Amino acid sequence: MGEERWFYRDAEERTAIAERLKQTTCPHCKSAGTLIRHGFLYGFDESSPRQKTVRARRIFCSNRQARPGCGRTFSVWIADKIRRLSLTAGALWQFLQLAVAASILAASRAVDCRLSDRTWQRIWRRFNRAQSKIRTALCGRCPPPELPPRAPTNPSRLPAAQVLAHLQAAFPNVPCPIAAFQYAMHAFFI
Ligand SMILES: [Zn+2]
């Protein structure tokens, strides 16, 4: 699924990543001992609509003071964040389930995020484009369920319903299968 991404789920894992940094190799140049912490990425989402929250920790492969790094940066993401979108993985999961079962409009009204209808349409299209990559990644973990638990009212939503059912089968008993996907697959969901 392209470039490997790193994710952490909680403060404990964030600390563990920070402590291992000196032994971790840079994903760009493969040097070891060059990585240092380099601030944060911030953004809005429905959990904090007025104040930006941390989305990712930035890491720098240091080439300063004669260190042999490549000078590039990369980010270690919180598993519950969705890149370039102001909503959490939990809200996206809720939206997609409702969009499949009912409609994009009904789903956008039900999810507690102040995003415009155009943004919700864009999110849906982004999920549609990502579906084949998501399916491939999930097949490495478990076979798809034969049928989604409830067939969608709109037959054109069947492929999407199947992807969501597959996601849930791959990550059962977690509060948010999308966050679990990002964490386990080292990849952005969309
Ligand atoms: Zn490097």
Side-chain angles (χ1 to χ4, degrees):
M1 288 189 70
E3 193 182 329
E4 177 166 304
R5 309 288 181 167
W6 298 356
F7 293 89
Y8 63 89
R9 289 177 296 194
D10 51 32
E12 214 170 295
E13 285 181 357
R14 188 186 60 212
T15 307
I17 288 170
E19 283 171 354
R20 277 200 316 269
L21 222 44
K22 289 274 169 262
Q23 294 90 49
T24 305
T25 54
C26 168
H28 299 302
C29 69
K30 312 296 176 205
S31 307
T34 53
L35 300 180
I36 56 172
R37 281 175 278 181
H38 195 60
F40 298 93
L41 287 181
Y42 294 92
F44 295 102
D45 57 51
E46 84 287 351
S47 70
S48 179
R50 287 175 202 289
Q51 203 175 3
K52 290 186 175 187
T53 56
V54 170
R55 297 165 74 73
R57 180 176 266 291
R58 284 162 57 74
I59 309 287
F60 176 58
C61 181
S62 182
N63 57 356
R64 293 182 192 153
Q65 289 146 6
R67 285 168 105 169
C70 63
R72 295 172 72 183
T73 59
F74 63 97
S75 305
V76 185
W77 281 73
I78 301 179
D80 189 38
K81 304 292 179 186
I82 304 293
R83 69 178 159 163
R84 301 199 307 270
L85 284 175
S86 304
L87 82 175
T88 62
L92 178 62
W93 172 238
Q94 202 192 349
F95 167 73
L96 292 177
Q97 283 180 299
L98 290 166
V100 161
S103 68
I104 295 171
L105 190 68
S108 65
R109 297 286 180 268
V111 178
D112 188 22
C113 296
R114 284 179 203 144
L115 301 177
S116 67
D117 289 348
R118 270 179 62 186
T119 302
W120 287 116
Q121 295 282 352
R122 194 162 55 85
I123 292 170
W124 178 258
R125 284 198 301 274
R126 209 166 121 180
F127 168 62
N128 266 335
R129 281 197 302 274
Q131 271 180 35
S132 71
K133 266 197 329 195
I134 296 169
R135 208 176 291 119
T136 307
L138 289 173
C139 281
R141 236 183 129 83
C142 75
E146 298 214 338
L147 277 174
R150 283 182 309 277
T153 344
N154 179 346
S156 71
R157 296 266 194 267
L158 190 61
Q162 275 163 333
V163 168
L164 295 189
H166 196 176
L167 179 66
Q168 202 150 29
F171 301 100
N173 313 317
V174 297
C176 177
I178 293 175
F181 175 100
Q182 300 201 122
Y183 181 78
M185 303 296 188
H186 302 282
F188 288 115
F189 182 70
I190 62 171

